[in-house]
Amino acid sequence: MVFIDTAGFDDEGELGMKRVEKTGLALEKTDIALLLFADEPDIEKIWLEKLKKANTPVIPIINKCDILTNADDIAGKIEKLTDIKPVRASAQDKKGVRDILEAITRAIPEDFKAATLTHGLCEKGDTVLLVMPQDIQAPKGRLILPQVQTLRELLDKKCIVMSCTTDMLEPTLKMLCLPPKLIITDSQVFASVYKQKPAESALTSFSVLMAGAKGDIREFITGASAIDSLTAKSRVLITEACTHAPLAEDIGREKLPRMLRAKVGEGLKIDIVSGTDFPSSLGDYELIIHCGACMFNRKYVLSRIEAAK
């Protein structure tokens, strides 16, 4: 759980507008909103509508109850506005903190603890083989985050997990008494692994698992068809969640642009952004390619999908 203290939403002036804009961006990655009141709920109405449109649960909180003389009146207006009885608190006296935590617990989405990466693909006792090439993209002595997240989930599900590099796939399969239920590999060696895998073993990639868990996989499949309609005059946006320093043969910055230009022509315009630097205007792009978003929560990725649609 990450708490984001927003910049505010009632600021004025040029700097104030920038602060308000940052607050709006924070809403895109918010699963639960704590809306703080200390006076009449006027400007909060606008943000309530934004949160309602985004299907974000709201917990109204009245602060400064240690000094407010009209708390009952404010509470009545807030409840009429939100259909929710507000939590009364005092940051000064530390009162109401337990009530706020309980309200957060009640508002947590039902699927919060659901296994989302390998849901429906394997279960307790199944053997899962992870084929993980250790190349320049993987830091020495470490695994990349999607591999770590997948491995942890499989261990939590009590699966039997085997790991190998691409060049050790054949001897690893020969060592196993039975074919693995599932093989998960890197997208770049998908074709090679597919040729060697047993017919009984299902095959997917870490990227596909991340796309299914963090975004809308059906929307991604539909969007992929846009590749066939690109021309040399088209414009494409490639966006990555992390802000790593680009390495040789970087997938997002080198390999994908090279593959796209080989298909449609060298004139293809490609913009590349990372982190939270996502353009506010997307009308010039015919295709947006997003990474697996292991650094983002699902709410944030879905907000980007909505913006693109």
Side-chain angles (χ1 to χ4, degrees):
M1 185 177 291
V2 178
F3 284 92
I4 305 172
D5 184 13
T6 62
F9 47 67
D10 58 352
D11 289 351
E12 298 177 352
E14 184 178 351
L15 178 59
M17 290 301 99
K18 289 182 179 179
R19 286 160 57 85
V20 171
E21 183 182 347
K22 287 294 183 182
T23 298
L25 292 174
L27 296 190
E28 295 177 359
K29 62 183 82 172
T30 299
D31 292 309
I32 302 172
L34 309 182
L35 195 56
L36 206 61
F37 296 84
D39 209 333
E40 298 292 321
D42 295 323
I43 195 168
E44 286 84 358
K45 293 179 183 178
I46 300 172
W47 293 89
L48 275 171
E49 285 301 313
K50 292 177 183 287
L51 292 163
K52 186 176 180 181
K53 187 177 179 181
N55 294 317
T56 302
V58 176
I59 299 173
I61 302 170
I62 304 177
N63 189 29
K64 301 184 181 180
C65 284
D66 55 315
I67 59 174
L68 282 178
T69 57
N70 59 339
D72 291 340
D73 182 45
I74 295 174
K77 292 180 179 178
I78 293 172
E79 189 168 356
K80 184 177 180 180
L81 192 64
T82 63
D83 291 325
I84 303 171
K85 187 175 182 180
V87 179
R88 303 191 187 201
S90 167
Q92 177 69 30
D93 296 341
K94 303 294 188 292
K95 291 182 178 179
V97 174
R98 182 177 295 276
D99 294 333
I100 294 171
L101 293 176
E102 289 178 358
I104 293 173
T105 303
R106 289 194 299 269
I108 290 174
E110 291 182 6
D111 62 351
F112 179 69
K113 290 187 177 181
T116 54
L117 283 171
T118 59
H119 181 69
L121 298 178
C122 56
E123 55 189 31
K124 182 179 178 180
D126 286 338
T127 299
V128 181
L129 176 59
L130 307 182
V131 183
M132 303 181 291
Q134 300 302 296
D135 53 20
I136 193 172
Q137 304 296 331
K140 187 177 180 180
R142 295 159 61 189
L143 298 175
I144 61 175
L145 189 54
Q147 295 170 352
V148 174
Q149 291 177 342
T150 303
L151 177 60
R152 177 58 202 242
E153 182 176 303
L154 291 171
L155 293 174
D156 288 342
K157 292 174 75 169
K158 305 300 180 182
C159 292
I160 301 166
V161 187
M162 297 285 291
S163 302
C164 69
T165 53
T166 315
D167 57 322
M168 293 300 293
L169 175 57
E170 185 177 352
T172 301
L173 289 172
K174 287 181 179 179
M175 186 188 69
L176 295 173
C177 298
L178 297 172
K181 172 72 177 295
L182 175 66
I183 300 175
I184 306 172
T185 189
D186 190 279
S187 298
Q188 297 187 84
V189 295
F190 201 92
S192 171
V193 175
Y194 179 77
K195 289 178 181 178
Q196 300 179 65
K197 83 172 189 69
E200 304 94 325
S201 301
L203 175 65
T204 189
S205 73
F206 293 102
S207 298
V208 171
L209 292 182
M210 296 302 298
K214 292 299 184 81
D216 183 342
I217 192 70
R218 292 175 179 83
E219 190 66 33
F220 292 150
I221 292 169
T222 302
S225 63
I227 294 175
D228 292 328
S229 62
L230 294 176
T231 70
K233 296 182 179 180
S234 299
R235 192 168 186 176
V236 173
L237 174 67
I238 296 178
T239 176
E240 298 181 326
C242 56
T243 55
H244 64 274
L247 302 170
E249 290 299 290
D250 187 88
I251 297 172
R253 294 168 174 84
E254 294 190 23
K255 287 190 175 182
L256 285 176
R258 185 165 64 238
M259 293 166 70
L260 287 171
R261 288 189 173 115
K263 179 177 177 62
V264 303
E266 288 297 322
L268 181 68
K269 295 180 178 62
I270 300 177
D271 296 334
I272 300 173
V273 297
S274 60
T276 57
D277 293 333
F278 194 66
S280 57
S281 177
L282 302 171
D284 293 337
Y285 299 109
E286 293 180 38
L287 174 66
I288 300 173
I289 300 176
H290 207 295
C291 72
C294 59
M295 303 295 291
F296 290 161
N297 64 5
R298 188 166 188 262
K299 184 69 177 287
Y300 195 25
V301 179
L302 291 177
S303 71
R304 288 189 167 188
I305 294 173
E306 284 302 312
K309 290 166 68 175

